[in-house]
Amino acid sequence: MVIKILVLFLSAFLAGMLALFMPQWKEKNFKMILIFAGSYLFSITVLHILPELFANRDSAYYMGLYVLIGFLLQQVLEFLSSGIEHGHIHHHGGGRNTVWMVMIGLSLHAFLEGTLLSQQPSLTGHHHGSETLMFGIIMHKAPAAFALVAVLLSSLKKNTVLVLLLVFALASPLGMISSGLLQEQSILTAEAMDVLFGLVAGGFLHISTTIFFESSPHHKFHFKRLLISLLAALVAIASEYLL
């Protein structure tokens, strides 16, 4: 568990530090990374999370509702974060209220993601927190941390940005620790965890599909982006079924 916490924290923190000390970067390359991350996130949601959630007959009937609610909830969170988690880096206001809204939206989402990695099994008998899922969250959090720092640097001092980056980097580890402790104390039941997983799965679907749609706003065919998406899907398939 300690290793997972460190990996979660460092993946976001180091990605943010990269943006902090690298003023010159190519947005085109960043978008390619986002496409890979979005494709991988979508793939593990379809291959890993949803099958586990719907495998439990007792909760399967309502699980689609929880996924839908999670999908809609992510729209609210993205209103707060201004869509930074899927690459909206430019055209953000620099006011104090905007900064707080971005931090609340991104940190809350990161906290919920961390709950997926608790080591307690759900009613289906599976462990949601596999290495496949871990890699997917890292692939999502690292670009989000980079984009967050890039946005905050336009209006805040570096020291302030560093503190906010620390807060964001700690959000997922705190989610993981909190859900694990609540399950051990029988406060957070297996049924409640499955509902939570459904909500987060809906959020993953929203983020990943938004990345796909925004990567080609004029609906043009991009062979390079298609190859990146296929590569990410193949990596997800290999990590789920072969590793």
Side-chain angles (χ1 to χ4, degrees):
M1 189 178 201
V2 175
I3 295 177
K4 284 185 177 182
I5 292 173
L6 287 175
V7 171
L8 273 178
F9 172 78
L10 290 175
S11 62
F13 182 74
L14 294 179
M17 292 295 289
L18 185 63
L20 193 64
F21 293 103
M22 191 177 69
Q24 300 296 329
W25 52 276
K26 294 183 179 180
E27 185 174 355
K28 182 179 179 180
N29 294 336
F30 179 74
K31 288 184 177 180
M32 293 298 106
I33 295 174
L34 271 180
I35 292 171
F36 182 92
S39 181
Y40 186 89
L41 195 63
F42 179 83
S43 298
I44 63 169
T45 301
V46 174
L47 296 173
H48 183 86
I49 302 177
L50 294 181
E52 286 194 8
L53 291 176
F54 285 98
N56 180 14
R57 295 182 179 181
D58 295 331
S59 61
Y61 183 78
Y62 292 101
M63 193 52 63
L65 174 63
Y66 304 141
V67 173
L68 177 59
I69 292 174
F71 187 93
L72 298 175
L73 176 62
Q74 183 58 35
Q75 287 189 308
V76 177
L77 294 179
E78 289 186 8
F79 170 75
L80 296 175
S81 66
S82 302
I84 288 177
E85 53 268 74
H86 48 76
H88 286 184
I89 295 181
H90 301 297
H91 308 299
H92 292 274
R96 180 174 297 181
N97 290 337
T98 300
V99 171
W100 281 111
M101 289 175 65
V102 167
M103 286 302 301
I104 290 173
L106 282 180
S107 298
L108 180 57
H109 177 72
F111 183 89
L112 292 174
E113 284 181 338
T115 63
L116 290 175
L117 298 174
S118 62
Q119 295 180 333
Q120 302 295 327
S122 70
L123 290 178
T124 65
H126 299 289
H127 290 271
H128 293 280
S130 70
E131 289 75 11
T132 303
L133 189 55
M134 179 81 169
F135 184 67
I137 292 177
I138 290 172
M139 286 296 300
H140 169 52
K141 278 179 59 66
F146 187 96
L148 173 65
V149 171
V151 169
L152 295 180
L153 281 175
S154 64
S155 58
L156 300 175
K157 296 180 180 179
K158 281 190 175 182
N159 290 338
T160 303
V161 174
L162 181 59
V163 172
L164 295 178
L165 173 61
L166 282 171
V167 172
F168 175 69
L170 287 170
S172 286
L174 288 176
M176 178 181 173
I177 295 171
S178 299
S179 63
L181 291 175
L182 290 175
Q183 287 179 84
E184 289 179 2
Q185 300 298 322
S186 298
I187 297 175
L188 194 60
T189 65
E191 292 89 345
M193 284 301 299
D194 279 345
V195 172
L196 187 58
F197 289 135
L199 295 177
V200 177
F204 282 171
L205 289 175
H206 187 285
I207 293 169
S208 57
T209 52
T210 300
I211 291 174
F212 289 150
F213 292 142
E214 292 187 348
S215 67
S216 183
H218 303 295
H219 305 288
K220 294 182 179 179
F221 179 77
H222 295 276
F223 185 69
K224 185 177 180 180
R225 294 176 182 178
L226 175 62
L227 286 180
I228 292 174
S229 298
L230 290 175
L231 175 62
L234 290 174
V235 171
I237 293 171
S239 61
E240 180 65 20
Y241 297 114
L242 301 179
L243 300 182

